[in-house]
Amino acid sequence: MAIMTKRSKSHPTPPSGLSLGHLLTHDLDDSLEAKALEVHRRLCKEYGCPITYFHTLDPLDELVSAMLSHRTLNRDSTQAFRALRARFSTWAEVRDAPTADVEETIAACTWPEQKAPRIQAVLREIAARGNGELSLDFLRDWPVDKARAWLESLPGVGPKTSAAVISFSTMRGKALPVDSHHHRVAARVGLIPEGLAVGPAHRVLEAQLPEDWDAQLVYDNHQVIMRHGKQVCTWRDPQCRRCVLLDLCPHGQARLAGDHEINDAPGPSTL
């Protein structure tokens, strides 16, 4: 049975340990939408909105950059991306190079031995679908849902990567990426159930945002929650006493009350 939000978006089966009713409650409860808006309002005040886009990469560049960033610190994935661009003049050269050369070039990121062949496989698939052309510019004219589905049909591309391409690239589309920091804050504040994986969390969190928001507001939402996760709601030793969301956060309140059963480390911080 498919899980449907009030916006008719389907979701995967809830994670182990969560009832269907629990996930439906998180999807359908209007109070969660109000809470999501209040989280956004407070964090925008804290970090300053609108937030300037940090990339001016075209969609294909952004796709490769996003693939390199998986489970990698930003500085390391940036170094790996720049090394690729410096060593190879085109993405076709990356596609056709010996895999060992690509792996060596992206050594700054985690798991280069996995990412090198995966990037080459994606580049081959894009070229095959595009009659030899290596470009994603055609996605600019597509509806966001269709563009994301096409991207997620590529090997190794999931919802976070597809959202990054739509939002962060020069497409400047309306899509919500959810990284580990964003996911951690959302779970602790109670916008998503504890234990809901990052993949399905994208749809649940997107459904809580107003439909009339433009791409900038959606981008701001990700950026302020992500920044809060990096600076305050950290993986270890979150700074709950100075958190502007404390009165909204069951995790923070329990932690300060001395509840030793809470989990202060729901997942590693990687981005």
Side-chain angles (χ1 to χ4, degrees):
M1 174 181 177
I3 305 170
M4 304 298 290
T5 69
K6 59 185 174 182
R7 296 182 189 172
S8 299
K9 294 178 180 177
S10 62
H11 297 285
T13 303
S16 175
L18 293 177
S19 69
L20 177 61
H22 189 187
L23 185 51
L24 281 170
T25 298
H26 275 73
D27 281 341
L28 297 175
D29 189 347
D30 285 341
S31 68
L32 276 177
E33 291 192 351
K35 189 174 195 177
L37 287 175
E38 181 62 12
V39 167
H40 179 86
R41 185 191 69 80
R42 293 190 192 184
L43 293 183
C44 268
K45 183 177 180 181
E46 186 77 2
Y47 298 103
C49 291
I51 293 174
T52 302
Y53 283 90
F54 68 94
H55 269 176
T56 55
L57 300 177
D58 72 27
L60 183 54
D61 284 10
E62 185 62 55
L63 174 60
V64 175
S65 174
M67 293 178 71
L68 290 169
S69 74
H70 180 62
R71 294 293 187 183
T72 302
L73 294 171
N74 285 339
R75 67 171 184 269
D76 296 334
S77 62
T78 298
Q79 180 181 341
F81 180 80
R82 289 175 176 169
L84 267 184
R85 299 305 277 155
R87 182 168 183 175
F88 302 101
S89 60
T90 67
W91 291 122
E93 288 187 11
V94 174
R95 176 197 62 197
D96 299 335
T99 302
D101 289 353
V102 178
E103 180 182 336
E104 176 187 48
T105 306
I106 63 172
C109 70
T110 58
W111 304 320
E113 71 284 356
Q114 297 177 22
K115 292 177 180 177
R118 186 171 298 165
I119 288 168
Q120 289 182 306
V122 164
L123 292 173
R124 285 193 294 268
E125 182 66 18
I126 292 170
R129 296 185 192 183
N131 295 318
E133 185 177 3
L134 270 174
S135 173
L136 295 178
D137 285 344
F138 65 92
L139 295 178
R140 298 177 189 275
D141 299 324
W142 287 19
V144 167
D145 286 348
K146 181 181 178 182
R148 291 190 67 178
W150 191 93
L151 288 165
E152 289 174 30
S153 71
L154 296 170
V157 174
K160 177 189 167 187
T161 300
S162 73
V165 172
I166 300 296
S167 177
F168 299 161
S169 80
T170 52
M171 289 178 69
R172 300 293 189 249
K174 183 178 172 180
L176 182 72
V178 178
D179 69 359
S180 59
H181 300 293
H182 190 150
H183 183 261
R184 180 173 62 253
V185 174
R188 286 177 173 174
V189 172
L191 294 177
I192 54 175
E194 288 188 14
L196 182 65
V198 174
H202 280 77
R203 296 292 186 184
V204 176
L205 292 169
E206 285 175 346
Q208 294 170 3
L209 302 181
E211 292 182 338
D212 61 355
W213 272 17
D214 62 15
Q216 177 71 60
L217 284 168
V218 175
Y219 175 79
D220 289 345
N221 183 259
H222 165 65
Q223 285 291 309
V224 295
I225 296 176
M226 178 269 293
R227 292 181 186 193
H228 197 63
K230 281 186 173 183
Q231 298 178 27
V232 177
C233 191
T234 51
W235 175 28
R236 291 188 178 91
D237 299 322
Q239 301 172 53
C240 298
R241 294 189 187 280
R242 74 177 188 91
C243 178
V244 297
L245 304 179
L246 179 58
D247 63 310
L248 303 176
C249 182
H251 178 96
Q253 293 169 26
R255 186 170 179 272
L256 293 182
D259 184 347
H260 298 298
E261 297 301 316
I262 65 171
N263 178 11
D264 262 351
S269 172
T270 57
L271 297 178

